Amino acid sequence: MTDGTSGGERRTSLHGFWSSRFTFILAVTGAAVGLGNIWKFPYIAGQNGGGAFVLVYLLCVFGIGLPIMMSEILIGRRGRRNPIATMQLLGEEESGSRAWGLVGVMGVMGGFLILSYYSVIAGWTMAYVVKALSGAFAGASPEALSDQLDGLRGSVLQSGFWHTLFMGITVSLVALGVERGLERAVTFMVPALVVIMLILLGYSVTSGQFGAGLEFMFQPDFSRLTGDSILAAMGQAFFTLSVGMGSVMAYGAYLPQETSITRTSIAVVSADTAIAILAGMVIFPIILSNGLDPTQAGMGLIFKTLPLAFGTMTGGVVFGPLFFLLLGFAALTSAISLMEPAVAWVVERWHISRASAAITVGSVVYILGFATVLSFNVLSGFTFWQGTLFADIDYLTANIMLPLGGLFITVFAGWVMCRNSTADELDEHAGPTYRIWRFLAQYIAPAAVVVVFLNSIGVFD
Ligand code: TRP
């Protein structure tokens, strides 16, 4: 039996365990790979001028995101409860303060907000499966495709319908408890998505602007890097890795004790990054070869540009629907992870069934989602803070809540938890990877988050 400060091995999860290290990798990969890689990364990178942004993004992914992912998983496994209860429990154990539970509370709220808009965009990808099947892309001009997207998002009824359907599917799967089965679907779904993207890459290579696309993406032009675009790069790193709000902490709670957190995290982060970069390599050449401007394209980017490729390439009638279907699947496994902290909390706190918890949480998220649905029609003219309500929710969650949550998590793992506890979980007492993790978690990640925040509000100008 261990002493009071290292109780990890005595605890057991109330929700069962992943059956193997492999299922866990699949689950976390499923959580990480989603709209963030394929829909969000290209348009944010475009908006922020490409090259230099991508470089900052990569630095954030490996220097901040990776150590925070490891911190989240180790905290989750040690606490073995929902993120709020885990942070309270470990907070008490390691520092005598249950106030750390507030980090979990912020995470649960962040998950609600992110999922509310995530579901709307995922709904559009499902709408695009139908559009692709009906042949709507064949030979369509950029203007016609732009009108098609405006038709969909401009209609409360259509956008709302697909949001309803996507949330309905997500809640049903969580309620039925088949997520674990779904993680197995990731085994072929992520590779299938990669295969289609490689086919699209073949199209991009022959688009005539491949070199220009790569140059836009990889040639750093630091004059385009503002404080806000550095913040956006950091926010995107958190978003794409699903860290900063307890999703992977919740998943870590179900992780068998013997699995290597370090190796798992490195695998997931590498796969996630490779997929985002691949998406960029596909999309930028297509934008440029159609005479469009990547810095002006905005959040409708993939919906307006990828159909141009599907509409002209050989086999596009097959690859088009398949691509949007697989993207919808990728979004589903991410959506499930966004619900998990809240659902696990409701189940443990109120002792109700997983099904009731999923329906309760899902209903709140569903209603919140209409803020995003309405952002592109009824409320499109209203600017609240950063722009539309959608832009505000996105900015608040990705650029503020996730980095802030991540900051607290890494400070907790690096400074509040005693060395024995973290070394125990990372199972590398004085090994080099443990020392690298600890250095990143204690110094680099917290300092970077603080510096990026301060920089974005102009402190260093
Ligand atoms: N990472 C997912 C994506 O790229 C989205 C996501 C799932 C997420 N769980 C999360 C983002 C937790 C932030 C926090 O699409």
Side-chain angles (χ1 to χ4, degrees):
M1 193 88 330
T2 47
D3 64 35
T5 55
S6 57
E9 303 194 31
R10 278 177 290 135
R11 288 186 199 117
T12 187
S13 154
L14 299 168
H15 310 265
F17 288 96
W18 303 107
S19 45
S20 70
R21 165 175 134 89
F22 192 56
T23 6
F24 177 71
I25 294 190
L26 293 178
V28 182
T29 308
V33 176
L35 297 174
N37 306 62
I38 291 164
W39 159 72
K40 204 172 185 199
F41 172 73
Y43 90 78
I44 302 244
Q47 255 171 4
N48 290 285
F53 172 93
V54 175
L55 191 68
V56 176
Y57 161 81
L58 291 173
L59 288 174
C60 290
V61 162
F62 290 97
I64 309 176
L66 176 62
I68 292 182
M69 179 180 281
M70 291 170 64
S71 305
E72 259 196 53
I73 298 175
L74 80 84
I75 291 170
R77 184 165 73 181
R78 199 155 186 85
R80 293 247 183 258
R81 319 221 158 145
N82 70 77
I84 298 178
T86 284
M87 289 303 293
Q88 284 176 334
L89 178 72
L90 296 192
E92 183 146 55
E93 225 168 63
E94 303 275 350
S95 74
S97 169
R98 289 171 66 79
W100 284 99
L102 291 173
V103 176
V105 173
M106 184 172 76
V108 167
M109 291 188 329
F112 274 85
L113 289 171
I114 294 174
L115 186 53
S116 76
Y117 78 72
Y118 204 85
S119 168
V120 177
I121 314 297
W124 297 354
T125 72
M126 297 199 302
Y128 268 64
V129 175
V130 176
K131 273 192 200 290
L133 282 173
S134 70
F137 303 155
S141 65
E143 296 73 31
L145 287 168
S146 182
D147 290 346
Q148 287 195 28
L149 177 64
D150 289 338
L152 169 64
R153 66 184 177 185
S155 153
V156 180
L157 212 62
Q158 285 184 47
S159 192
F161 168 78
W162 292 105
H163 164 54
T164 308
L165 190 63
F166 185 82
M167 262 329 280
I169 295 173
T170 305
V171 169
S172 311
L173 291 177
V174 176
L176 294 171
V178 297
E179 312 98 280
R180 304 294 164 78
L182 205 83
E183 302 312 340
R184 285 170 209 276
V186 178
T187 331
F188 58 87
M189 190 211 74
V190 171
L193 190 60
V194 170
V195 168
I196 295 204
M197 286 174 47
L198 288 172
I199 294 168
L200 278 169
L201 185 66
Y203 174 88
S204 262
V205 169
T206 56
S207 69
Q209 293 294 323
F210 191 63
L214 291 192
E215 197 172 307
F216 178 79
M217 198 171 153
F218 294 116
Q219 179 99 242
D221 172 359
F222 291 99
S223 67
R224 297 189 164 208
L225 214 53
T226 63
D228 222 36
S229 58
I230 295 174
L231 180 64
M234 181 171 76
Q236 174 62 14
F238 278 87
F239 186 90
T240 193
L241 299 180
S242 307
V243 297
M245 62 142 283
S247 269
V248 293
M249 194 186 287
Y251 279 12
Y254 320 139
L255 183 63
Q257 203 63 40
E258 60 284 356
T259 305
S260 162
I261 291 175
T262 310
R263 275 186 296 158
T264 306
S265 304
I266 292 174
V268 172
V269 169
S270 308
D272 186 84
T273 307
I275 292 175
I277 296 294
L278 180 58
M281 289 170 59
V282 165
I283 288 167
F284 291 119
I286 298 177
I287 304 177
L288 296 173
S289 63
N290 282 282
L292 304 170
D293 181 352
T295 63
Q296 299 302 318
M299 61 86 71
L301 179 65
I302 62 160
F303 297 104
K304 296 183 202 167
T305 54
L306 288 181
L308 288 168
F310 294 126
T312 46
M313 72 196 273
T314 359
V317 276
V318 178
F319 300 135
L322 211 53
F323 171 83
F324 285 107
L325 187 68
L326 289 167
L327 184 55
F329 256 111
L332 193 58
T333 53
S334 297
I336 288 171
S337 80
L338 280 161
M339 278 188 71
E340 188 58 30
V343 169
W345 176 67
V346 170
V347 168
E348 289 173 33
R349 178 71 179 69
W350 279 302
H351 307 288
I352 61 176
S353 70
R354 209 173 158 77
S356 314
I359 292 167
T360 312
V361 171
S363 305
V364 177
V365 172
Y366 174 66
I367 294 165
L368 277 176
F370 279 89
T372 294
V373 168
L374 297 175
S375 291
F376 300 96
N377 34 66
V378 179
L379 298 178
S380 64
F382 288 85
T383 297
F384 297 91
W385 175 36
Q386 300 295 322
T388 58
L389 261 179
F390 157 74
D392 294 344
I393 297 173
D394 178 34
Y395 191 92
L396 173 70
T397 51
N399 292 8
I400 297 175
M401 291 175 82
L402 296 180
L404 207 57
L407 175 64
F408 285 122
I409 288 167
T410 191
V411 165
F412 186 79
W415 295 99
V416 178
M417 289 180 78
C418 73
R419 210 187 156 99
N420 277 340
S421 312
T422 50
D424 220 29
E425 293 298 333
L426 294 181
D427 200 30
E428 269 260 5
H429 285 263
T433 47
Y434 179 73
R435 273 179 286 150
I436 295 170
W437 168 77
R438 198 166 151 91
F439 178 69
L440 292 173
Q442 282 191 312
Y443 299 99
I444 303 299
V449 173
V450 170
V451 167
V452 173
F453 272 147
L454 293 179
N455 182 47
S456 77
I457 56 170
V459 171
F460 302 120
D461 291 347

